[in-house]
Structure formats: structure tokens, C-alpha cells
Amino acid sequence: RKEVEQDPGPFNVPEGATVAFNCTYSNSASQSFFWYRQDCRKEPKLLMSVYSSGNEDGRFTAQLNRASQYISLLIRDSKLSDSATYLCVVSGLAAGNKLTFGGGTRVLVKP
Amino acid sequence: DAGITQSPRYKITETGRQVTLMCHQTWSHSYMFWYRQDLGHGLRLIYYSAAADITDKGEVPDGYVVSRSKTENFPLTLESATRSQTSVYFCASSEPSLPTATEAFFGQGTRLTVV
């Protein structure tokens, strides 16, 4: 079993719609959680960190469920520019601060 | 310029040759990482370093060698390149702050083709 698993998609989303997807992780000692965005195999860039209480950044909302060991990302009012691959990233000091990536979820926003 | 830079950006090499990919960061981050990304796969960790002269294996270290004599540099060497090492290689750096890890910043990647 992979440490971090994601549905690869693609999620085909009409412009303006809401899309949500999850990521599960296997290491219960994980402490830090992030969503990165990657465009066309360019370098990944941080979208948002995920905090225990959940957090929102504009149209993006991230949630963490430690009991079930998953994090989620919700995108509201999808824009064409949201088309990308979203990478779930898990880390922890006990794991040497390594960032472990999921395989990514591809989102395609269509007019 | 501040940031993290990789060189070369593109490289074509022959099977059996030694190749070194360079990574340089200007933030003095403690941690540096090398990942590879293959079509249809996420990023897989090759090696990482917690500080100068400290390196450790990641998920897929076979066939690679790293060194970190200076905090700012973390070169990755393919000792004898194979076609299976054709990939996009990303270098990253981060500076942990207790009690949680912090985000990593990535270089632009090196596209390596082994023929």
C-alpha cells in the first residue's frame, strides 16, 4: 500500500462548478499536510497547508480528518485556470521531514 | 537571484554514461531533496539531506549518488545511466520549524533522457 493515495482522475468539471477530492495517508504519525499544484509537469507549487481545524483560501477549502487519515480539497466556482494536477503531500518530523507525495489528482475545468 | 535553481534544464545522455544534475539554493535551507517524476506517477523521493554532510536514502535510491559538502548545493549523480532513469528530476529545499514540517520549494526540474 502506498503511503499517500489519491484518485488520479481526471475530474472533468464544468466552469463555475464545485469539485472535491480526497487523499488518504497511512502513517498515523504524520504531522504536516499540504496541497501542491502542478501544471504540465512543471515544478510543484504550494497551494495551501492543511490545518487540523480546516482552512480556507479564497475558493479553496482544505480539511483534515485525522481519525480516518484523509485530507480533502474543495474548489468552488471552478475557473479554467484551475485545470492542473493537485498533489497531496504528507510529512512529519518523525519521518525526517521528508515530504511524501501522492500520485496526484488531475482536474480539467471545461467551459 | 534568490531561490532554487537546477542545471541543466534538459539533458540527453547515452546508456552507461555518468551524469550529474546540479541543484543550488540561496536560502540556506537545512533540508534538500531529490525527486523523480515519471509519466503517470507522482513524485518519488530519491535522496534527501538534513544538513551538510548528512544524506539519506529515499524511496528509489538505486543507481544514484548524492553529496552535500555545502549547505547550498546538492548534486545528484547517475553513476551509469540506464533508460529507466529517463525522467524529470526535481530538487527541493525546506527549512523545518518545530513542531511541524514546512513547505518545500522546488527547482524548475531537469528533463533527462537516456538513449
Side-chain angles (χ1 to χ4, degrees), chain A residues 2 31-32 34 36 38 40-46 87 91-93 95-104, chain B residues 31 33 35 37-39 41-43 45 48 88 90 94 96 98-104 106-108 111:
Chain A
K2 291 184 178 180
Q31 297 170 287
S32 302
F34 308 93
Y36 277 71
Q38 186 177 31
C40 299
R41 298 187 86 202
K42 293 183 178 178
E43 73 272 24
K45 294 184 179 179
L46 180 69
L87 301 167
S91 183
L93 293 177
N97 201 40
K98 296 178 294 185
L99 283 84
T100 302
F101 284 76
Chain B
Y31 279 76
F33 309 86
Y35 291 88
Q37 186 175 35
D38 305 302
L39 280 173
H41 290 84
L43 280 79
L45 182 64
Y48 69 105
V88 179
F90 289 104
S94 72
L98 294 173
T100 59
T102 58
E103 68 174 293
F106 284 80
Q108 291 180 294
R111 293 182 183 273

mmCIF file of all heavy atoms in Angstrom, chain A residues 2 31-32 34 36 38 40-46 87 91-93 95-104, chain B residues 31 33 35 37-39 41-43 45 48 88 90 94 96 98-104 106-108 111:
data_model
loop_
_atom_site.group_PDB
_atom_site.id
_atom_site.type_symbol
_atom_site.label_atom_id
_atom_site.label_comp_id
_atom_site.label_asym_id
_atom_site.label_seq_id
_atom_site.Cartn_x
_atom_site.Cartn_y
_atom_site.Cartn_z
ATOM 1 N N LYS A 2 0.534 2.215 -0.840
ATOM 2 C CA LYS A 2 1.295 3.449 -0.890
ATOM 3 C C LYS A 2 1.031 4.267 0.363
ATOM 4 O O LYS A 2 -0.045 4.207 0.953
ATOM 5 C CB LYS A 2 0.908 4.257 -2.121
ATOM 6 C CG LYS A 2 1.362 3.623 -3.432
ATOM 7 C CD LYS A 2 1.026 4.534 -4.597
ATOM 8 C CE LYS A 2 1.511 3.923 -5.899
ATOM 9 N NZ LYS A 2 1.186 4.794 -7.053
ATOM 10 N N GLN A 31 2.422 14.640 10.578
ATOM 11 C CA GLN A 31 2.076 15.860 11.307
ATOM 12 C C GLN A 31 1.707 17.027 10.401
ATOM 13 O O GLN A 31 0.982 17.915 10.815
ATOM 14 C CB GLN A 31 3.276 16.283 12.157
ATOM 15 C CG GLN A 31 3.683 15.300 13.224
ATOM 16 C CD GLN A 31 5.014 15.684 13.831
ATOM 17 O OE1 GLN A 31 6.058 15.538 13.202
ATOM 18 N NE2 GLN A 31 4.991 16.177 15.045
ATOM 19 N N SER A 32 2.260 17.027 9.204
ATOM 20 C CA SER A 32 2.054 18.173 8.331
ATOM 21 C C SER A 32 1.438 17.710 7.021
ATOM 22 O O SER A 32 1.797 16.658 6.495
ATOM 23 C CB SER A 32 3.386 18.879 8.046
ATOM 24 O OG SER A 32 3.992 19.293 9.252
ATOM 25 N N PHE A 34 -0.144 19.091 3.132
ATOM 26 C CA PHE A 34 -0.153 20.183 2.164
ATOM 27 C C PHE A 34 -0.873 19.744 0.901
ATOM 28 O O PHE A 34 -0.910 18.557 0.565
ATOM 29 C CB PHE A 34 1.288 20.566 1.761
ATOM 30 C CG PHE A 34 2.217 20.842 2.914
ATOM 31 C CD1 PHE A 34 3.005 19.835 3.436
ATOM 32 C CD2 PHE A 34 2.318 22.120 3.448
ATOM 33 C CE1 PHE A 34 3.874 20.078 4.479
ATOM 34 C CE2 PHE A 34 3.186 22.373 4.489
ATOM 35 C CZ PHE A 34 3.971 21.356 5.006
ATOM 36 N N TYR A 36 -0.299 20.688 -3.047
ATOM 37 C CA TYR A 36 0.501 21.362 -4.054
ATOM 38 C C TYR A 36 -0.241 21.291 -5.385
ATOM 39 O O TYR A 36 -1.001 20.364 -5.639
ATOM 40 C CB TYR A 36 1.872 20.699 -4.218
ATOM 41 C CG TYR A 36 2.919 21.123 -3.216
ATOM 42 C CD1 TYR A 36 2.835 20.731 -1.894
ATOM 43 C CD2 TYR A 36 3.982 21.923 -3.606
ATOM 44 C CE1 TYR A 36 3.795 21.119 -0.973
ATOM 45 C CE2 TYR A 36 4.954 22.318 -2.691
ATOM 46 C CZ TYR A 36 4.850 21.909 -1.377
ATOM 47 O OH TYR A 36 5.801 22.303 -0.479
ATOM 48 N N GLN A 38 0.416 21.292 -9.588
ATOM 49 C CA GLN A 38 1.433 21.102 -10.616
ATOM 50 C C GLN A 38 0.798 21.252 -11.989
ATOM 51 O O GLN A 38 -0.217 20.614 -12.288
ATOM 52 C CB GLN A 38 2.099 19.727 -10.499
ATOM 53 C CG GLN A 38 3.271 19.561 -11.462
ATOM 54 C CD GLN A 38 3.974 18.242 -11.319
ATOM 55 O OE1 GLN A 38 3.387 17.235 -10.970
ATOM 56 N NE2 GLN A 38 5.283 18.240 -11.569
ATOM 57 N N CYS A 40 1.338 20.758 -15.978
ATOM 58 C CA CYS A 40 2.081 20.190 -17.106
ATOM 59 C C CYS A 40 3.506 19.778 -16.743
ATOM 60 O O CYS A 40 4.461 20.136 -17.444
ATOM 61 C CB CYS A 40 2.135 21.178 -18.274
ATOM 62 S SG CYS A 40 0.534 21.601 -18.919
ATOM 63 N N ARG A 41 3.664 19.062 -15.656
ATOM 64 C CA ARG A 41 4.955 18.534 -15.211
ATOM 65 C C ARG A 41 5.979 19.637 -14.964
ATOM 66 O O ARG A 41 7.187 19.397 -15.011
ATOM 67 C CB ARG A 41 5.474 17.500 -16.196
ATOM 68 C CG ARG A 41 4.556 16.290 -16.332
ATOM 69 C CD ARG A 41 5.171 15.212 -17.167
ATOM 70 N NE ARG A 41 6.017 14.333 -16.366
ATOM 71 C CZ ARG A 41 6.994 13.583 -16.860
ATOM 72 N NH1 ARG A 41 7.274 13.625 -18.138
ATOM 73 N NH2 ARG A 41 7.711 12.810 -16.071
ATOM 74 N N LYS A 42 5.494 20.845 -14.683
ATOM 75 C CA LYS A 42 6.388 21.879 -14.195
ATOM 76 C C LYS A 42 6.594 21.648 -12.704
ATOM 77 O O LYS A 42 6.052 20.704 -12.136
ATOM 78 C CB LYS A 42 5.783 23.255 -14.444
ATOM 79 C CG LYS A 42 5.691 23.602 -15.916
ATOM 80 C CD LYS A 42 5.158 25.007 -16.095
ATOM 81 C CE LYS A 42 5.100 25.379 -17.565
ATOM 82 N NZ LYS A 42 4.541 26.750 -17.763
ATOM 83 N N GLU A 43 7.376 22.513 -12.071
ATOM 84 C CA GLU A 43 7.634 22.286 -10.664
ATOM 85 C C GLU A 43 6.368 22.452 -9.831
ATOM 86 O O GLU A 43 5.569 23.357 -10.081
ATOM 87 C CB GLU A 43 8.736 23.235 -10.141
ATOM 88 C CG GLU A 43 8.340 24.681 -9.967
ATOM 89 C CD GLU A 43 8.542 25.483 -11.232
ATOM 90 O OE1 GLU A 43 8.542 24.901 -12.333
ATOM 91 O OE2 GLU A 43 8.697 26.708 -11.096
ATOM 92 N N PRO A 44 6.168 21.598 -8.834
ATOM 93 C CA PRO A 44 5.008 21.743 -7.946
ATOM 94 C C PRO A 44 5.131 23.026 -7.140
ATOM 95 O O PRO A 44 6.223 23.438 -6.758
ATOM 96 C CB PRO A 44 5.118 20.514 -7.032
ATOM 97 C CG PRO A 44 6.004 19.564 -7.739
ATOM 98 C CD PRO A 44 6.973 20.407 -8.511
ATOM 99 N N LYS A 45 3.974 23.628 -6.900
ATOM 100 C CA LYS A 45 3.951 24.845 -6.092
ATOM 101 C C LYS A 45 2.905 24.705 -5.004
ATOM 102 O O LYS A 45 1.835 24.133 -5.229
ATOM 103 C CB LYS A 45 3.652 26.067 -6.972
ATOM 104 C CG LYS A 45 4.762 26.351 -7.967
ATOM 105 C CD LYS A 45 4.509 27.606 -8.779
ATOM 106 C CE LYS A 45 5.661 27.861 -9.735
ATOM 107 N NZ LYS A 45 5.451 29.063 -10.572
ATOM 108 N N LEU A 46 3.217 25.214 -3.827
ATOM 109 C CA LEU A 46 2.315 25.090 -2.701
ATOM 110 C C LEU A 46 1.000 25.808 -2.991
ATOM 111 O O LEU A 46 0.988 26.993 -3.335
ATOM 112 C CB LEU A 46 2.953 25.669 -1.446
ATOM 113 C CG LEU A 46 2.093 25.584 -0.193
ATOM 114 C CD1 LEU A 46 1.953 24.126 0.252
ATOM 115 C CD2 LEU A 46 2.681 26.423 0.935
ATOM 116 N N LEU A 87 -1.513 17.732 -5.968
ATOM 117 C CA LEU A 87 -0.703 16.739 -5.270
ATOM 118 C C LEU A 87 -0.913 16.855 -3.768
ATOM 119 O O LEU A 87 -0.761 17.936 -3.186
ATOM 120 C CB LEU A 87 0.776 16.952 -5.588
ATOM 121 C CG LEU A 87 1.173 16.857 -7.067
ATOM 122 C CD1 LEU A 87 2.580 17.397 -7.272
ATOM 123 C CD2 LEU A 87 1.093 15.424 -7.544
ATOM 124 N N SER A 91 3.887 14.956 5.587
ATOM 125 C CA SER A 91 5.226 14.998 6.159
ATOM 126 C C SER A 91 5.151 14.858 7.668
ATOM 127 O O SER A 91 4.076 14.932 8.260
ATOM 128 C CB SER A 91 5.903 16.317 5.797
ATOM 129 O OG SER A 91 7.227 16.359 6.292
ATOM 130 N N GLY A 92 6.308 14.648 8.269
ATOM 131 C CA GLY A 92 6.365 14.556 9.720
ATOM 132 C C GLY A 92 7.809 14.542 10.167
ATOM 133 O O GLY A 92 8.655 13.973 9.499
ATOM 134 N N LEU A 93 8.078 15.170 11.273
ATOM 135 C CA LEU A 93 9.450 15.218 11.766
ATOM 136 C C LEU A 93 9.954 13.831 12.104
ATOM 137 O O LEU A 93 11.136 13.541 11.978
ATOM 138 C CB LEU A 93 9.538 16.148 12.978
ATOM 139 C CG LEU A 93 9.282 17.622 12.679
ATOM 140 C CD1 LEU A 93 9.329 18.453 13.942
ATOM 141 C CD2 LEU A 93 10.278 18.142 11.657
ATOM 142 N N ALA A 95 9.514 11.332 10.426
ATOM 143 C CA ALA A 95 9.926 10.734 9.147
ATOM 144 C C ALA A 95 11.061 11.529 8.531
ATOM 145 O O ALA A 95 11.255 11.500 7.320
ATOM 146 C CB ALA A 95 8.741 10.671 8.194
ATOM 147 N N GLY A 96 11.765 12.270 9.345
ATOM 148 C CA GLY A 96 12.915 13.008 8.834
ATOM 149 C C GLY A 96 12.547 14.207 7.997
ATOM 150 O O GLY A 96 13.311 14.661 7.160
ATOM 151 N N ASN A 97 11.356 14.718 8.208
ATOM 152 C CA ASN A 97 10.890 15.894 7.479
ATOM 153 C C ASN A 97 10.771 15.650 5.988
ATOM 154 O O ASN A 97 10.697 16.581 5.200
ATOM 155 C CB ASN A 97 11.816 17.089 7.737
ATOM 156 C CG ASN A 97 11.151 18.413 7.452
ATOM 157 O OD1 ASN A 97 9.994 18.611 7.754
ATOM 158 N ND2 ASN A 97 11.886 19.322 6.831
ATOM 159 N N LYS A 98 10.757 14.386 5.599
ATOM 160 C CA LYS A 98 10.568 14.095 4.181
ATOM 161 C C LYS A 98 9.138 14.436 3.797
ATOM 162 O O LYS A 98 8.209 14.243 4.569
ATOM 163 C CB LYS A 98 10.798 12.600 3.915
ATOM 164 C CG LYS A 98 12.195 12.109 4.189
ATOM 165 C CD LYS A 98 12.281 10.617 3.944
ATOM 166 C CE LYS A 98 11.447 9.840 4.931
ATOM 167 N NZ LYS A 98 11.612 8.379 4.770
ATOM 168 N N LEU A 99 8.990 14.923 2.592
ATOM 169 C CA LEU A 99 7.661 15.143 2.053
ATOM 170 C C LEU A 99 7.318 13.967 1.161
ATOM 171 O O LEU A 99 8.027 13.685 0.195
ATOM 172 C CB LEU A 99 7.601 16.444 1.259
ATOM 173 C CG LEU A 99 7.542 17.719 2.089
ATOM 174 C CD1 LEU A 99 8.918 18.150 2.514
ATOM 175 C CD2 LEU A 99 6.859 18.828 1.317
ATOM 176 N N THR A 100 6.234 13.277 1.492
ATOM 177 C CA THR A 100 5.787 12.138 0.699
ATOM 178 C C THR A 100 4.592 12.563 -0.133
ATOM 179 O O THR A 100 3.600 13.067 0.405
ATOM 180 C CB THR A 100 5.421 10.952 1.607
ATOM 181 O OG1 THR A 100 6.564 10.604 2.387
ATOM 182 C CG2 THR A 100 5.002 9.753 0.773
ATOM 183 N N PHE A 101 4.711 12.347 -1.438
ATOM 184 C CA PHE A 101 3.686 12.816 -2.363
ATOM 185 C C PHE A 101 2.734 11.694 -2.755
ATOM 186 O O PHE A 101 3.135 10.548 -2.959
ATOM 187 C CB PHE A 101 4.340 13.335 -3.643
ATOM 188 C CG PHE A 101 4.984 14.679 -3.508
ATOM 189 C CD1 PHE A 101 6.204 14.816 -2.876
ATOM 190 C CD2 PHE A 101 4.359 15.806 -4.014
ATOM 191 C CE1 PHE A 101 6.791 16.065 -2.749
ATOM 192 C CE2 PHE A 101 4.944 17.054 -3.894
ATOM 193 C CZ PHE A 101 6.164 17.177 -3.263
ATOM 194 N N GLY A 102 1.494 12.058 -2.909
ATOM 195 C CA GLY A 102 0.552 11.177 -3.575
ATOM 196 C C GLY A 102 0.769 11.275 -5.081
ATOM 197 O O GLY A 102 1.541 12.107 -5.560
ATOM 198 N N GLY A 103 0.076 10.426 -5.815
ATOM 199 C CA GLY A 103 0.250 10.391 -7.258
ATOM 200 C C GLY A 103 -0.394 11.543 -7.993
ATOM 201 O O GLY A 103 -0.144 11.749 -9.180
ATOM 202 N N GLY A 104 -1.229 12.298 -7.288
ATOM 203 C CA GLY A 104 -1.851 13.454 -7.914
ATOM 204 C C GLY A 104 -3.244 13.167 -8.423
ATOM 205 O O GLY A 104 -3.558 12.047 -8.836
ATOM 206 N N TYR B 31 17.182 21.417 4.760
ATOM 207 C CA TYR B 31 16.799 20.206 4.049
ATOM 208 C C TYR B 31 16.819 20.419 2.544
ATOM 209 O O TYR B 31 16.376 21.452 2.033
ATOM 210 C CB TYR B 31 15.391 19.758 4.460
ATOM 211 C CG TYR B 31 15.349 18.981 5.753
ATOM 212 C CD1 TYR B 31 15.467 19.618 6.974
ATOM 213 C CD2 TYR B 31 15.200 17.600 5.732
ATOM 214 C CE1 TYR B 31 15.438 18.896 8.155
ATOM 215 C CE2 TYR B 31 15.160 16.866 6.910
ATOM 216 C CZ TYR B 31 15.278 17.520 8.110
ATOM 217 O OH TYR B 31 15.243 16.801 9.279
ATOM 218 N N PHE B 33 16.129 17.932 -1.144
ATOM 219 C CA PHE B 33 15.541 16.679 -1.613
ATOM 220 C C PHE B 33 15.761 16.531 -3.116
ATOM 221 O O PHE B 33 15.777 17.517 -3.849
ATOM 222 C CB PHE B 33 14.017 16.676 -1.373
ATOM 223 C CG PHE B 33 13.594 17.022 0.029
ATOM 224 C CD1 PHE B 33 13.428 18.347 0.418
ATOM 225 C CD2 PHE B 33 13.331 16.024 0.952
ATOM 226 C CE1 PHE B 33 13.018 18.668 1.700
ATOM 227 C CE2 PHE B 33 12.925 16.336 2.240
ATOM 228 C CZ PHE B 33 12.771 17.655 2.610
ATOM 229 N N TYR B 35 13.723 14.416 -6.152
ATOM 230 C CA TYR B 35 12.593 13.588 -6.553
ATOM 231 C C TYR B 35 12.696 13.311 -8.050
ATOM 232 O O TYR B 35 13.256 14.090 -8.806
ATOM 233 C CB TYR B 35 11.263 14.305 -6.313
ATOM 234 C CG TYR B 35 10.890 14.512 -4.870
ATOM 235 C CD1 TYR B 35 11.318 15.640 -4.170
ATOM 236 C CD2 TYR B 35 10.099 13.586 -4.197
ATOM 237 C CE1 TYR B 35 10.963 15.833 -2.842
ATOM 238 C CE2 TYR B 35 9.740 13.771 -2.871
ATOM 239 C CZ TYR B 35 10.178 14.899 -2.213
ATOM 240 O OH TYR B 35 9.823 15.083 -0.902
ATOM 241 N N GLN B 37 10.032 12.204 -11.330
ATOM 242 C CA GLN B 37 8.633 12.082 -11.709
ATOM 243 C C GLN B 37 8.549 11.469 -13.094
ATOM 244 O O GLN B 37 9.075 12.019 -14.059
ATOM 245 C CB GLN B 37 7.925 13.441 -11.698
ATOM 246 C CG GLN B 37 6.431 13.326 -11.938
ATOM 247 C CD GLN B 37 5.724 14.656 -11.804
ATOM 248 O OE1 GLN B 37 6.262 15.703 -12.154
ATOM 249 N NE2 GLN B 37 4.502 14.635 -11.276
ATOM 250 N N ASP B 38 7.879 10.356 -13.173
ATOM 251 C CA ASP B 38 7.686 9.659 -14.438
ATOM 252 C C ASP B 38 6.244 9.828 -14.884
ATOM 253 O O ASP B 38 5.347 10.020 -14.060
ATOM 254 C CB ASP B 38 8.027 8.180 -14.270
ATOM 255 C CG ASP B 38 9.439 7.999 -13.728
ATOM 256 O OD1 ASP B 38 10.380 8.475 -14.377
ATOM 257 O OD2 ASP B 38 9.592 7.389 -12.648
ATOM 258 N N LEU B 39 6.036 9.714 -16.186
ATOM 259 C CA LEU B 39 4.681 9.869 -16.724
ATOM 260 C C LEU B 39 3.728 8.948 -15.988
ATOM 261 O O LEU B 39 3.995 7.756 -15.825
ATOM 262 C CB LEU B 39 4.671 9.550 -18.216
ATOM 263 C CG LEU B 39 5.165 10.659 -19.144
ATOM 264 C CD1 LEU B 39 5.267 10.153 -20.567
ATOM 265 C CD2 LEU B 39 4.228 11.865 -19.066
ATOM 266 N N HIS B 41 2.994 9.009 -12.898
ATOM 267 C CA HIS B 41 3.350 8.791 -11.499
ATOM 268 C C HIS B 41 3.524 10.116 -10.792
ATOM 269 O O HIS B 41 3.777 11.141 -11.404
ATOM 270 C CB HIS B 41 4.641 7.992 -11.383
ATOM 271 C CG HIS B 41 4.501 6.566 -11.797
ATOM 272 N ND1 HIS B 41 4.580 6.162 -13.107
ATOM 273 C CD2 HIS B 41 4.275 5.443 -11.085
ATOM 274 C CE1 HIS B 41 4.420 4.864 -13.174
ATOM 275 N NE2 HIS B 41 4.237 4.398 -11.973
ATOM 276 N N GLY B 42 3.412 10.064 -9.509
ATOM 277 C CA GLY B 42 3.702 11.235 -8.701
ATOM 278 C C GLY B 42 5.195 11.363 -8.492
ATOM 279 O O GLY B 42 6.003 10.717 -9.167
ATOM 280 N N LEU B 43 5.566 12.199 -7.581
ATOM 281 C CA LEU B 43 6.976 12.400 -7.280
ATOM 282 C C LEU B 43 7.459 11.330 -6.311
ATOM 283 O O LEU B 43 6.830 11.085 -5.279
ATOM 284 C CB LEU B 43 7.201 13.786 -6.667
ATOM 285 C CG LEU B 43 7.256 14.935 -7.660
ATOM 286 C CD1 LEU B 43 5.860 15.333 -8.095
ATOM 287 C CD2 LEU B 43 7.986 16.123 -7.054
ATOM 288 N N LEU B 45 10.731 10.062 -3.978
ATOM 289 C CA LEU B 45 11.933 10.583 -3.352
ATOM 290 C C LEU B 45 13.116 9.680 -3.635
ATOM 291 O O LEU B 45 13.069 8.467 -3.395
ATOM 292 C CB LEU B 45 11.709 10.713 -1.839
ATOM 293 C CG LEU B 45 12.845 11.290 -1.021
ATOM 294 C CD1 LEU B 45 13.114 12.738 -1.424
ATOM 295 C CD2 LEU B 45 12.518 11.201 0.466
ATOM 296 N N TYR B 48 17.573 12.478 0.212
ATOM 297 C CA TYR B 48 17.388 13.757 0.864
ATOM 298 C C TYR B 48 18.529 14.002 1.831
ATOM 299 O O TYR B 48 19.305 13.097 2.156
ATOM 300 C CB TYR B 48 16.023 13.855 1.554
ATOM 301 C CG TYR B 48 15.853 12.973 2.770
ATOM 302 C CD1 TYR B 48 15.884 13.500 4.057
ATOM 303 C CD2 TYR B 48 15.616 11.607 2.628
ATOM 304 C CE1 TYR B 48 15.702 12.702 5.166
ATOM 305 C CE2 TYR B 48 15.445 10.794 3.733
ATOM 306 C CZ TYR B 48 15.476 11.355 5.002
ATOM 307 O OH TYR B 48 15.302 10.544 6.093
ATOM 308 N N VAL B 88 11.841 13.210 -15.261
ATOM 309 C CA VAL B 88 12.005 14.606 -14.861
ATOM 310 C C VAL B 88 12.455 14.594 -13.404
ATOM 311 O O VAL B 88 11.814 13.956 -12.557
ATOM 312 C CB VAL B 88 10.709 15.410 -15.010
ATOM 313 C CG1 VAL B 88 10.927 16.848 -14.558
ATOM 314 C CG2 VAL B 88 10.233 15.385 -16.455
ATOM 315 N N PHE B 90 13.332 16.677 -9.960
ATOM 316 C CA PHE B 90 13.090 17.904 -9.224
ATOM 317 C C PHE B 90 13.919 17.924 -7.950
ATOM 318 O O PHE B 90 13.948 16.952 -7.192
ATOM 319 C CB PHE B 90 11.612 18.039 -8.846
ATOM 320 C CG PHE B 90 10.704 18.322 -9.994
ATOM 321 C CD1 PHE B 90 9.892 17.329 -10.527
ATOM 322 C CD2 PHE B 90 10.630 19.599 -10.540
ATOM 323 C CE1 PHE B 90 9.040 17.586 -11.585
ATOM 324 C CE2 PHE B 90 9.787 19.874 -11.602
ATOM 325 C CZ PHE B 90 8.988 18.863 -12.126
ATOM 326 N N SER B 94 13.758 22.889 2.009
ATOM 327 C CA SER B 94 12.835 23.373 3.029
ATOM 328 C C SER B 94 13.598 23.622 4.321
ATOM 329 O O SER B 94 14.714 23.124 4.512
ATOM 330 C CB SER B 94 11.694 22.382 3.269
ATOM 331 O OG SER B 94 12.148 21.234 3.960
ATOM 332 N N PRO B 96 12.716 23.206 8.224
ATOM 333 C CA PRO B 96 11.697 22.776 9.178
ATOM 334 C C PRO B 96 11.607 23.723 10.356
ATOM 335 O O PRO B 96 12.588 24.318 10.779
ATOM 336 C CB PRO B 96 12.205 21.404 9.624
ATOM 337 C CG PRO B 96 13.682 21.459 9.421
ATOM 338 C CD PRO B 96 13.882 22.328 8.217
ATOM 339 N N LEU B 98 9.824 23.554 14.141
ATOM 340 C CA LEU B 98 9.083 22.718 15.075
ATOM 341 C C LEU B 98 7.737 23.355 15.404
ATOM 342 O O LEU B 98 7.611 24.577 15.473
ATOM 343 C CB LEU B 98 9.899 22.504 16.350
ATOM 344 C CG LEU B 98 11.197 21.697 16.173
ATOM 345 C CD1 LEU B 98 11.994 21.690 17.460
ATOM 346 C CD2 LEU B 98 10.868 20.278 15.741
ATOM 347 N N PRO B 99 6.683 22.593 15.675
ATOM 348 C CA PRO B 99 6.706 21.140 15.708
ATOM 349 C C PRO B 99 6.330 20.489 14.374
ATOM 350 O O PRO B 99 6.257 19.279 14.285
ATOM 351 C CB PRO B 99 5.630 20.819 16.748
ATOM 352 C CG PRO B 99 4.630 21.906 16.543
ATOM 353 C CD PRO B 99 5.405 23.129 16.150
ATOM 354 N N THR B 100 6.085 21.271 13.367
ATOM 355 C CA THR B 100 5.633 20.684 12.106
ATOM 356 C C THR B 100 6.622 20.988 10.999
ATOM 357 O O THR B 100 7.445 21.892 11.099
ATOM 358 C CB THR B 100 4.256 21.221 11.702
ATOM 359 O OG1 THR B 100 4.350 22.647 11.562
ATOM 360 C CG2 THR B 100 3.218 20.883 12.750
ATOM 361 N N ALA B 101 6.509 20.239 9.929
ATOM 362 C CA ALA B 101 7.338 20.498 8.763
ATOM 363 C C ALA B 101 6.803 21.731 8.044
ATOM 364 O O ALA B 101 5.688 22.169 8.268
ATOM 365 C CB ALA B 101 7.316 19.295 7.842
ATOM 366 N N THR B 102 7.624 22.294 7.224
ATOM 367 C CA THR B 102 7.197 23.438 6.432
ATOM 368 C C THR B 102 7.194 23.062 4.963
ATOM 369 O O THR B 102 7.668 22.007 4.578
ATOM 370 C CB THR B 102 8.127 24.634 6.646
ATOM 371 O OG1 THR B 102 9.457 24.232 6.290
ATOM 372 C CG2 THR B 102 8.104 25.089 8.078
ATOM 373 N N GLU B 103 6.668 23.947 4.168
ATOM 374 C CA GLU B 103 6.556 23.683 2.748
ATOM 375 C C GLU B 103 7.943 23.555 2.135
ATOM 376 O O GLU B 103 8.940 24.078 2.653
ATOM 377 C CB GLU B 103 5.799 24.802 2.058
ATOM 378 C CG GLU B 103 6.561 26.104 2.033
ATOM 379 C CD GLU B 103 5.863 27.168 1.205
ATOM 380 O OE1 GLU B 103 5.781 26.997 -0.015
ATOM 381 O OE2 GLU B 103 5.433 28.167 1.799
ATOM 382 N N ALA B 104 8.003 22.870 1.027
ATOM 383 C CA ALA B 104 9.229 22.761 0.255
ATOM 384 C C ALA B 104 9.108 23.610 -1.005
ATOM 385 O O ALA B 104 8.021 23.771 -1.564
ATOM 386 C CB ALA B 104 9.498 21.314 -0.122
ATOM 387 N N PHE B 106 10.537 24.149 -4.882
ATOM 388 C CA PHE B 106 11.098 23.301 -5.922
ATOM 389 C C PHE B 106 11.848 24.090 -6.986
ATOM 390 O O PHE B 106 11.474 25.221 -7.313
ATOM 391 C CB PHE B 106 9.975 22.514 -6.610
ATOM 392 C CG PHE B 106 9.464 21.374 -5.783
ATOM 393 C CD1 PHE B 106 8.557 21.588 -4.763
ATOM 394 C CD2 PHE B 106 9.902 20.082 -6.016
ATOM 395 C CE1 PHE B 106 8.094 20.532 -3.990
ATOM 396 C CE2 PHE B 106 9.445 19.022 -5.259
ATOM 397 C CZ PHE B 106 8.545 19.252 -4.238
ATOM 398 N N GLY B 107 12.881 23.449 -7.504
ATOM 399 C CA GLY B 107 13.515 23.956 -8.705
ATOM 400 C C GLY B 107 12.643 23.665 -9.913
ATOM 401 O O GLY B 107 11.619 22.975 -9.814
ATOM 402 N N GLN B 108 13.056 24.171 -11.071
ATOM 403 C CA GLN B 108 12.232 24.054 -12.274
ATOM 404 C C GLN B 108 12.310 22.679 -12.912
ATOM 405 O O GLN B 108 11.569 22.399 -13.840
ATOM 406 C CB GLN B 108 12.650 25.128 -13.280
ATOM 407 C CG GLN B 108 12.283 26.534 -12.818
ATOM 408 C CD GLN B 108 12.716 27.571 -13.824
ATOM 409 O OE1 GLN B 108 13.905 27.774 -14.052
ATOM 410 N NE2 GLN B 108 11.752 28.233 -14.429
ATOM 411 N N ARG B 111 14.907 17.736 -17.226
ATOM 412 C CA ARG B 111 14.358 16.643 -18.047
ATOM 413 C C ARG B 111 15.519 15.843 -18.610
ATOM 414 O O ARG B 111 16.268 16.345 -19.447
ATOM 415 C CB ARG B 111 13.494 17.211 -19.157
ATOM 416 C CG ARG B 111 12.232 17.865 -18.655
ATOM 417 C CD ARG B 111 11.358 18.395 -19.781
ATOM 418 N NE ARG B 111 10.184 19.078 -19.251
ATOM 419 C CZ ARG B 111 9.050 18.476 -18.940
ATOM 420 N NH1 ARG B 111 8.923 17.171 -19.123
ATOM 421 N NH2 ARG B 111 8.045 19.147 -18.461
#
